[in-house]
Amino acid sequence: MRATGVSLGQLLLALDATLVRLVQAPRGLDLPVASAALIDSDDVRLGLAPSAGSADVFFLLGVSESDALLWVEQQSVRRPPTAIFVKEPSGAVVGRAVAAGTAVVAVDPRARWERLYRLVNHVFEHHGEGALHDSGTDLFGLAQSIAERTHGMVSIEDAQSHVLAYSASSDEADELRRLSILGRAGPPEHLAWIAQWGIFDALRARPEAVRVAERPELGLRPRLAIGIFSPAPDERRAPAFVGTIWVQQGSRPLADDAEEVLRGAAVLAARIMARLAATPSTHAARVQELLGLRESDAPVELELIARELGVAVDGRAAVIGFDASTTGTRLADVLALSASAFRHDAQMASAGSRVYVLFPNTGKAVTSWVRGTVAALRAELGLQLHAVIASPVAGLSGAAGARAEVDRVLDSAERHPGTLAAVTSLAESRTTVLLDEIVTAIATDERLIDPRIPALRADEPVLAETLGVYLDSFGDVAGAAQQLHVHPNTVRYRVRRIEQLLSASLSDPDVRLLLSLSLRATA
C-alpha cells in the first residue's frame, strides 16, 4: 500500500545526516513519498529494473555510473522517480537525474543497504499525517524528545543491538554512534571495553540507568544508557528485556535529571515497541489478508487489495515459506531485502518463526532465487533455513490456499527434521507430507492403532524391527536381511514367528497396510 503524509524532506530528516545527505532536489522537498524499490547492476543489464511507476524512491545498489545514467534516462521518458539514493554519486549522474526532475540523495559509503531499507520502510509504514516525530507514538520522535531533554544524542536499539531510531546527530557524534546508525558493528576495541566492564549485563539485569565513562584514547565519549523492559504478562514472570536507550554526551554536559528522564523514556519506548510489534502496518495487514493469516469473517476484497499494493490480481503467482525457528537474526528484514531486489512487487508477511514471500507475477526463475537465497544466508549468516515453494499459483485468489499448503510442508519438516530437502516444492514433498499427516492423525487416536503392534514392541522389540523392515522392503526377504545384517533364513524364521504371535498372514495386503501404519504411528 502507498501510505500518505510523509514528504521527501520528512524522510530525510528522519534518516539523519549520519546516513544520508541531500545533493539536489529539483522539485523541492514537499513531494510525498510512500514506497521504495531496489535496483542492482544485473537489473539494469538484463532489462529487469522496475519502472519508476512502481515506487517513489529507488536505492541503486552497486550500479555503475554508465548503468545509472542509462536507467535514469529510461525513467525520464516515463514518470521520473521522486528520488534516488546512491553511494558516492558522480556529477554526471546528479546532472542527468536533476534534469529529469529527480532528487539525488548521497548515502554514506559505509552504510549497510539493509539498514537504510529497513529504516525507510519503517518511516513509510508507521508514520501517517501528524505522526512523524510524535514522541507518544513513534520511536524517532521519542529519541528526539529525549535528546532535547538530556542535551545528548540518542539512539534506541532492540535486544539484538539493532538501531531502531535515533535523534539528530551533531559533529560531536563519536565513531561508535556513527557506525551503529550506519548498520556496521562498532570498533572491536570499543565493544570489548564495554563488555569487559559488564555494561551489557547491567543493562539487561534491571531498568536502571548505567553510566559509561569516557575513553579518550578510543575516541569514546561518555554515555548514559538504560534497558527497555516489556511489562510482564503476569506477576509470576519477570519483565522481558527488549532493547536499550543510549545517550551519547557531546561537549555540553547531560542534564542533571537525565537519569530520571531515561527511566520514563524506557517505559514509553516499551509501550511503543509493543504497539508496533502487535499492530502491523496497513500494508503488512493487507498482505496478511491475501495469505490468509488474519482471522476475519469478511470476504477478502482482492481487487481493492491489489490496487492498494500496486500488484496484478491475475497471473502466475508464487508463494514461498521460510522457516528458521532457532535463529535470532531478523529473518524478515534479510529476506525483504533479497526479495525486493529480485522482484520490485514482492510482498512479505511474517507469522512466528516463519516468513512468507508472495510474488504476484513471476516465472520459473523463482526457484533459482530461493535456492540462491538459502545458500547465501547459510554461507554468510550461518542460517539453516527450510524453504517451500508453491508455484505456479492462480493469481492472488490462490495465495491463501498456497500458503496453507506451504505450512503443511513446514509443519511436517518440524515434526521430522531431515526428511525434507532444505528447498522443496509442494509437488516434490506431497507424498512425504501426506503420509506424515496420516500417521500423525493415527498417532493421536489410540483407537486407530492396532493394539498388537504396541504389544509386539514391548515384548519382542527385535521382531517389531524386523516387521517394519520387512514391510518397507515389500516382502523382499533378501533385501530385508541385508538391511538387518542377518541371514535370509533368520528373516524367514522371524516372519513366521510374527505371523504366529499376531495371528495374521503378512500375505494379506490389508494386514500389511494396517500394521505398517501402526508401526509408523508408534515409532
Side-chain angles (χ1 to χ4, degrees):
M1 178 180 178
R2 301 174 70 86
T4 59
V6 179
S7 68
L8 177 59
Q10 288 175 314
L11 174 62
L12 297 180
L13 181 63
L15 294 177
D16 189 64
T18 301
L19 265 176
V20 299
R21 173 180 58 84
L22 178 67
V23 179
Q24 290 281 354
R27 292 187 286 165
L29 296 175
D30 293 329
L31 294 176
V33 289
S35 57
L38 300 150
I39 300 293
D40 63 25
S41 56
D42 287 340
D43 290 333
V44 179
R45 180 174 54 83
L46 298 174
L48 301 176
S51 68
S54 66
D56 296 318
V57 299
F58 284 83
F59 304 135
L60 274 58
L61 284 69
V63 178
S64 67
E65 181 184 59
S66 59
D67 285 342
L69 291 171
L70 173 62
W71 183 79
V72 172
E73 184 66 28
Q74 291 172 342
Q75 306 316 308
S76 65
V77 300
R78 302 169 184 171
R79 182 180 76 88
T82 301
I84 57 173
F85 287 66
V86 191
K87 290 186 178 181
E88 300 179 313
S90 68
V93 170
V94 173
R96 185 75 57 88
V98 170
T102 296
V104 179
V105 180
V107 178
D108 189 292
R110 299 173 297 175
R112 297 186 69 93
W113 283 110
E114 62 265 30
R115 169 59 51 82
L116 179 60
Y117 183 83
R118 185 169 70 246
L119 287 173
V120 167
N121 277 284
H122 176 85
V123 175
F124 289 157
E125 292 179 355
H126 298 294
H127 303 90
E129 187 67 41
L132 190 66
H133 295 301
D134 179 348
S135 61
T137 60
D138 171 56
L139 289 175
F140 278 96
L142 178 61
Q144 191 60 41
S145 296
I146 299 170
E148 292 169 358
R149 282 286 286 107
T150 61
H151 314 315
M153 288 169 279
V154 176
S155 60
I156 302 175
E157 300 180 353
D158 65 13
Q160 289 76 42
S161 298
H162 297 130
V163 175
L164 300 176
Y166 45 84
S167 65
S169 298
S170 71
D171 293 339
E172 297 174 336
D174 63 19
E175 191 71 356
L176 181 57
R177 174 180 171 82
R178 285 194 293 267
L179 290 176
S180 297
I181 292 175
L182 292 170
R184 301 289 179 181
E189 59 272 20
H190 291 185
L191 300 180
W193 183 82
I194 292 175
Q196 176 185 348
W197 283 90
I199 294 168
F200 290 134
D201 292 337
L203 291 171
R204 286 167 169 78
R206 58 190 182 280
E208 295 294 336
V210 176
R211 290 192 176 272
V212 182
E214 182 178 18
R215 289 297 299 270
E217 72 277 14
L218 296 178
L220 189 66
R221 291 181 176 269
R223 275 173 168 72
L224 188 62
I226 193 169
I228 305 169
F229 292 82
S230 65
D234 57 64
E235 60 183 14
R236 293 170 298 178
R237 297 186 185 181
F241 174 79
V242 295
T244 310
I245 301 176
W246 293 90
V247 182
Q248 185 218 302
Q249 180 179 320
S251 57
R252 182 181 182 183
L254 296 180
D256 293 339
D257 61 348
E259 293 189 15
E260 182 180 348
V261 171
L262 278 192
R263 283 195 291 272
V267 174
L268 291 177
R271 292 175 183 170
I272 296 172
M273 291 169 71
R275 178 182 61 80
L276 294 179
T279 307
S281 66
T282 305
H283 182 107
R286 288 306 200 187
V287 179
Q288 289 175 349
E289 286 183 52
L290 280 181
L291 294 174
L293 294 170
R294 294 175 68 85
E295 294 184 5
S296 175
D297 295 330
V300 177
E301 301 179 25
L302 292 179
E303 295 287 347
L304 173 62
I305 294 176
R307 285 198 301 271
E308 291 184 348
L309 297 179
V311 299
V313 173
D314 302 316
R316 291 168 56 90
V319 175
I320 304 97
F322 296 86
D323 196 343
S325 57
T326 59
T327 180
T329 301
R330 286 175 165 269
L331 181 60
D333 293 333
V334 175
L335 288 174
L337 186 67
S338 178
S340 298
F342 175 67
R343 290 283 307 185
H344 70 280
D345 56 357
Q347 309 297 322
M348 308 285 299
S350 301
S353 65
R354 294 178 184 175
V355 177
Y356 305 93
V357 178
L358 167 65
F359 293 123
N361 195 3
T362 189
K364 296 180 180 179
V366 66
T367 301
S368 298
W369 173 77
V370 174
R371 294 187 186 280
T373 298
V374 169
L377 294 183
R378 182 188 301 115
E380 296 173 8
L381 301 178
L383 297 181
Q384 299 297 325
L385 299 181
H386 269 111
V388 180
I389 306 167
S391 178
V393 176
L396 299 186
S397 61
R403 193 273 311 160
E405 292 294 308
V406 164
D407 272 344
R408 290 175 62 189
V409 181
L410 292 175
D411 289 343
S412 180
E414 275 189 5
R415 288 191 294 266
H416 304 286
T419 57
L420 294 172
V423 178
T424 187
S425 67
L426 294 181
E428 292 170 342
S429 59
R430 193 171 306 280
T431 299
T432 301
V433 172
L434 282 174
L435 182 57
D436 171 55
E437 290 178 339
I438 292 170
V439 171
T440 300
I442 294 173
T444 58
D445 189 345
E446 62 180 13
R447 297 174 303 170
L448 301 179
I449 299 174
D450 190 319
R452 295 172 294 182
I453 292 302
L456 185 67
R457 284 191 180 280
D459 300 334
E460 298 285 353
V462 173
L463 294 184
E465 179 190 14
T466 300
L467 176 59
V469 174
Y470 177 77
L471 293 175
D472 288 346
S473 301
F474 303 100
D476 180 359
V477 172
Q482 185 175 9
Q483 289 189 52
L484 293 168
H485 306 292
V486 297
H487 194 277
N489 286 339
T490 302
V491 174
R492 293 187 182 95
Y493 167 77
R494 291 178 182 177
V495 168
R496 289 195 298 270
R497 178 63 177 154
I498 291 168
E499 289 179 323
Q500 291 173 356
L501 289 173
L502 301 184
S503 300
S505 171
L506 296 183
S507 62
D508 186 328
D510 290 342
V511 171
R512 292 197 302 270
L513 175 60
L514 177 61
L515 297 180
S516 180
L517 290 174
S518 295
L519 281 166
R520 290 174 182 265
T522 56

